[in-house]
Amino acid sequence: MNNLLNFIWRHHFTFLFLLLEVVSFFILVQSNKFQNANFLSSTNEISGSIYAGLNNLTEYIELKKTNEDLARENARLNTYSKNSFIKISGDFLLLSDTVYKQQYKYLNAKVINSSTTKRNNFLVIDRGRVQGIEPGMGVICSNGVVGIINKVSENFSSVISLLHKETKISAKLKKNDYFGIASWEGGNYEYATLSDIPRHVELIKGDTIVTRSGSGIFPEGILLGWVDEFEVPPGENYFNIRFRLSTEFNRLTYVYVVKNILKNEQEILENDFKE
Amino acid sequence: MFSQVANSILRFVFLILLQALVLNNIGLGGYINPYLYILFILWLPFEMQPWITLLLGFMLGFFMDVFTGTPGLHISACVFLSYSRAFILKLLSPREGYEFGLRPNIQEMGLAWFVTYSGIMIFIHHFVFFYFEAFSFNEFFHTLLRIIVSSIFTFILVTLSQFLTYKEKSR
């Protein structure tokens, strides 16, 4: 026993190193498994409020561009408003008018911290459980898709960016509805990859890629980007498409969190189907 | 002694905030991300007990992780760096050992020594950090490219910061 203690004491440096390294490796592996679940919830509030303070200072720099974006979006929304349409049918046709049921709700939020240079990127937004945010909700901005809510604390949430190894978004080509999966393979944050589009589909550079609403996280038709390069790897039946992302991840300021009111219903149905 | 500790704490806080609030927002071409905060470990005095270095590395990594939301990542890289430091110092030590009270910087150890020392240290940290971040060897060469480019950038910043503190030291 004494010998053992002596041995440990003589090599205390190495043992301490091994202990600390194992601890950190354990935290690292746990977080990869549960996607930061425990770690972020306790620390988010502290670092979140520091980032929020800094953001108060720096948002002025982005103000001009943000205003432009918002004005452009207002213009787009105005085109969809009821006032922009004239009735072309007789009044009695209204009887067969469709009754719409709202499926998606939007909540605006501000990005207080984000990264684009890592292999797995996250954002932090200034809305949390108190404002009704739940993990799994989609996040978009006026230019396109941003990511998916990961972890929620009282007043802040972390978002898994589209620029993350685990993010897979169901996407389709706007012109012919062929669908595939959009993901990010690292490197440049302006480009991502679309896979699973069969080789017989006719593609040209600049084709628009939008979301497909397959999993109910994003509404259908949210812009993802435009086709840039494509090729069929030898011996394969699917395109490998590189596309330009419409979202400018390096200057995200204002985003919207998407709440799917009918998601529960869809999930119950899909679970029934599996069983 | 007391002022030295206070100085170290100030440097600790300053480097973490600088890294989290300023340097993490630098991303040239999606590849370069300098990690200047390890300067804290680089600058620790020679006679610092190795096990204290380890604990300091752990704390430094922990606070960086809190800010970047990457649990365990900075900790493992910093602890590994602190561990390697003891051996690198031994490897690079002058024949008669380190003089008491010297600090590992350009002014006191000379340019050649400092370049070797910080070069090796930065590369070790970045190597562990980027491979743990990717968590697979699937993108081996891509990650290696990121390591090399980021190391060079960090190295430039470390050297520049040496010259920024030059006047203060040589009074």
Side-chain angles (χ1 to χ4, degrees), chain A residues 21 32 51 117-119 165, chain B residues 27 33 67 76 133-134 146:
Chain A
E21 200 66 46
N32 265 6
Y51 278 125
T117 53
K118 303 195 165 44
R119 178 64 186 93
K165 198 160 59 179
Chain B
N33 200 177
F67 271 99
S76 34
E133 186 190 34
R146 293 180 64 198

Side-chain angles (χ1 to χ4, degrees), chain A residues 84-153:
Chain A
S84 320
F85 293 89
I86 51 165
K87 232 184 285 173
I88 52 169
S89 56
D91 270 347
F92 55 90
L93 266 177
L94 277 179
L95 284 175
S96 62
D97 198 0
T98 326
V99 176
Y100 286 93
K101 186 171 162 64
Q102 188 172 19
Q103 185 179 5
Y104 294 100
K105 267 186 178 173
Y106 298 84
L107 175 71
N108 67 311
K110 206 164 82 184
V111 176
I112 55 172
N113 184 32
S114 65
S115 66
T116 54
T117 53
K118 303 195 165 44
R119 178 64 186 93
N120 298 316
N121 294 291
F122 286 91
L123 301 101
V124 180
I125 59 172
D126 66 343
R127 304 276 173 166
R129 196 179 297 118
V130 177
Q131 288 86 9
I133 309 279
E134 288 162 20
M137 289 180 172
V139 179
I140 61 173
C141 69
S142 51
N143 295 329
V145 172
V146 174
I148 295 164
I149 297 279
N150 171 32
K151 185 65 203 167
V152 179
S153 68

Side-chain angles (χ1 to χ4, degrees), chain A residues 29-40:
Chain A
V29 174
Q30 284 294 91
S31 73
N32 265 6
K33 217 189 290 169
F34 301 113
Q35 304 206 320
N36 304 0
N38 303 317
F39 189 77
L40 266 181

Side-chain angles (χ1 to χ4, degrees), chain A residues 166-178:
Chain A
E166 304 291 333
T167 311
K168 304 255 185 300
I169 291 174
S170 172
K172 66 178 184 183
L173 291 164
K174 194 178 181 183
K175 65 172 180 185
N176 53 20
D177 285 348
Y178 276 104

Side-chain angles (χ1 to χ4, degrees), chain A residues 9 15 46-47 56 60 62 102 115 131 150 167 182 200 234 240 244 257 259 264:
Chain A
W9 179 242
F15 277 110
I46 306 163
S47 59
N56 269 340
Y60 291 102
E62 291 281 327
Q102 188 172 19
S115 66
Q131 288 86 9
N150 171 32
T167 311
H200 61 79
N240 195 357
R244 191 179 179 82
V257 181
K259 182 188 171 81
N264 232 346

